Amino acid sequence: NAGVTQTPKFRVLKTGQSMTLLCAQDMNHEYMYWYRQDPGMGLRLIHYSVGEGTTAKGEVPDGYNVSRLKKQNFLLGLESAAPSQTSVYFCASSSFGDGREFFGPGTRLTVL
Amino acid sequence: RKEVEQDPGPFNVPEGATVAFNCTYSNSASQSFFWYRQDCRKEPKLLMSVYSSGNEDGRFTAQLNRASQYISLLIRDSKLSDSATYLCAANQFYFGTGTSLTVIP
């Protein structure tokens, strides 16, 4: 099993550009999450999904959109990137939604 | 106030030492608690769950104190390979900022 995979691993954007981060899991988990991790701020929840076709906002959703069209995939979109969105983005999945989460390797995004 | 708070450290300890981390949570209704390990430039990985009765896995012991709303992680006989950042978590969504541990030869 590959577990949780994320593409791309690295990306550099210019302010105003858009992009989509892809997360895929092969563990048949219902719950999926997008976090960003910044120095001194820890992991902060952007959006999450409790099942195929559902999404909900987390702590820091502004500037991001998500979609969960298939159970195994969770996409994170940035419509108009800003330097404040420079961060490491982690996707995670969970079977029970109780905090036992499996993380992908992360995407390092720099917005110039 | 953050849901989960922990001392960022860093903790620098000699090999073989015992080290303990604490983490406090603000929501008394929180039901499940976990410790994660994160190596430099890697993703967090689940280390162990935390139960009211305590949980031991080899050199690692995790405990929950509901009355004082904190969880702890004790590492005995520290190894160089234990050097990492340790994150606590309460329920889903809420992670501490992490405590950095460096084990020195």
Side-chain angles (χ1 to χ4, degrees):
Chain A
N1 287 350
V4 180
T5 58
Q6 292 182 232
T7 53
K9 288 185 169 52
F10 303 92
R11 186 72 185 268
V12 178
L13 291 178
K14 294 181 180 178
T15 298
Q17 287 185 319
S18 63
M19 77 165 294
T20 299
L21 283 67
L22 171 63
C23 175
Q25 53 96 2
D26 61 2
M27 297 175 283
N28 202 35
H29 286 172
E30 290 292 338
Y31 298 80
M32 295 189 75
Y33 315 86
W34 275 108
Y35 295 93
R36 60 177 291 174
Q37 187 174 41
D38 303 289
M41 301 294 290
L43 286 161
R44 291 183 292 170
L45 182 68
I46 304 172
H47 286 279
Y48 66 101
S49 168
V50 300
E52 181 178 314
T54 74
T55 63
K57 294 180 180 180
E59 180 186 356
V60 289
D62 293 342
Y64 306 95
N65 56 75
V66 288
S67 64
R68 182 110 181 257
L69 299 179
K70 294 183 178 180
K71 186 177 183 178
Q72 63 267 35
N73 296 336
F74 196 28
L75 279 62
L76 178 71
L78 285 74
E79 292 184 346
S80 179
S84 60
Q85 294 178 304
T86 293
S87 187
V88 181
Y89 291 85
F90 287 105
C91 175
S93 70
S94 172
S95 181
F96 303 103
D98 63 351
R100 282 175 284 185
E101 299 176 19
F102 295 83
F103 284 81
T107 295
R108 295 186 175 274
L109 174 67
T110 301
V111 183
L112 301 175
Chain B
R1 181 181 176 187
K2 287 184 69 67
E3 292 277 338
V4 179
E5 298 198 60
Q6 60 183 126
D7 182 349
F11 284 64
N12 299 315
V13 302
E15 215 172 348
T18 295
V19 61
F21 309 132
N22 283 338
C23 177
T24 59
Y25 61 94
S26 60
N27 186 353
S28 59
S30 295
Q31 292 295 315
S32 51
F33 305 90
F34 306 91
W35 282 100
Y36 285 78
R37 171 190 169 127
Q38 185 173 23
D39 293 299
C40 187
R41 300 180 71 85
K42 298 289 189 180
E43 72 273 23
K45 292 184 178 179
L46 182 63
L47 180 65
M48 58 197 306
S49 303
V50 188
Y51 306 118
S52 296
S53 57
N55 187 19
E56 187 172 320
D57 182 4
R59 298 181 292 108
F60 297 80
T61 300
Q63 291 194 310
L64 166 63
N65 184 317
R66 285 198 180 275
S68 300
Q69 293 186 209
Y70 76 85
I71 63 173
S72 63
L73 178 67
L74 182 77
I75 305 175
R76 292 180 297 277
D77 188 22
S78 299
K79 310 291 185 191
L80 298 177
S81 58
D82 294 333
S83 297
T85 297
Y86 292 84
L87 293 81
C88 57
N91 297 333
Q92 57 179 347
F93 308 154
Y94 302 114
F95 288 81
T97 54
T99 299
S100 173
L101 170 66
T102 301
V103 180
I104 305 165

